Amino acid sequence: MKTPVIVPNRSYSKPARSRTALMLAAIAALAVSFALLVSGCGDSTEEVPNTVNQTLAVGQQMLGDKGFKSTVKRVTDKQGKDEILSQDPVGGTEQSTSDAVALTVSNGPGDGIVPNVAGDPADRAEQEIREAGFRAKIVEVYSSAHEAGFATGTTPSSGSDLEKNTKVTLKISKGAQQEKVPNVVGLTEGSADTALANAGFRVDHSYQASSKNLGKVRAQDPSSGVSATVGSSVQVTINQAPKRVRVPNVVGQTQARGDRTLQNAGFDAVYATRTVTRRSQNGIVLAMSPGAGSRALEGTNVALTIGKFKRPRPRPRPTPTPTPTPPKPKPVPPGPSSIVKQWNLDEDETKTYTVTWRASQCPGGNGNAVLQGEEGDSEAQITAQGDADGPSSNTNSYYATTETSDLTGPVTLVITITCRVQ
């Protein structure tokens, strides 16, 4: 039996080559069509969207959605940073998508330095912040360092670099915060510290010797219920078991210094005085009890003797023997003398003048009156009127009367009293 011979079917491979060629041709056609499509899209016309007042990111997204690209120009402006100020062409314009849209974008108003306004009145501080290019936001705060109505500072702090037109918090004092001091008398030292700290106060401690309620507060200052500035100090006195300590030497010190020395050592001073005759000992501690160097319980009273200066009395001087007084000489009668009085008279003027003297000055005196000056019709006379002040006055009074006429100028009336020795 013969083995069958298989002859290859040559008609099978020919159709395979035809399908490959068809596939290549189809791919080429698709590529050409895609290129033409892309080329046609780049030249399409669209309406440009309005991006003004949008942020740069949002504006570019809006343009990209329409197929537009953009160019960016940044400028300094009071508008916020990255905000679109203008565009070219304007929104609503028909333009080929192959042409870019020019955007003008704010780079912000620039940076400024926050001014130092602490201690300035509120209105002036606000003005300084505005002049520096910032917006002021005012908040009120408690402050013990600044009076109410004055600036305490800013946030950000002064000297900070900050973009202009940004808000700066301006803190204005409304005065120191006041709180009532809690009652801590009778509490332990730790509990008192906690209560005062929670109320906003600082605590100062002092200790006093005692045999009762050891470790507990015996007194406080300010007292409970009093309003005090938050952050101020409250003094508390704690009971402490007494101990024996050495008494310091304060002899020779001033009273004030000796008192401080004893207080610092835990003792209380009481005083007595002693008169001294040396000024250098005035106000000086002369003695003390208990004595210096001895040991005594804290809180013990130490008696100080203080010098008090008193000037010594001067010794009495011996009384001098009086010198006999010589007899007075007999008076000598006065010699001749005269009393002169003068007055000026005008024309047609009549006056009465009085000249008075004591008899002891001019006993038995005579008087006369004369006119001196230009001549004219004139008269002058003197009349004795007797005692001017009564019979016992021992005075003589004379009246001089003048009458003048036809005078061309003033004349002088002279009254002369001549005295004679009796």
Side-chain angles (χ1 to χ4, degrees), residues 194-205:
T194 301
L196 291 171
N198 290 340
F201 299 102
R202 296 182 294 106
V203 187
D204 289 336
H205 303 89

Side-chain angles (χ1 to χ4, degrees), residues 340-360:
V340 179
K341 300 287 183 180
Q342 298 185 19
W343 294 270
N344 289 330
L345 300 174
D346 290 327
E347 181 180 1
D348 295 328
E349 184 176 24
T350 300
K351 288 187 177 181
T352 301
Y353 302 93
T354 302
V355 178
T356 304
W357 69 91
R358 294 184 182 279
S360 60

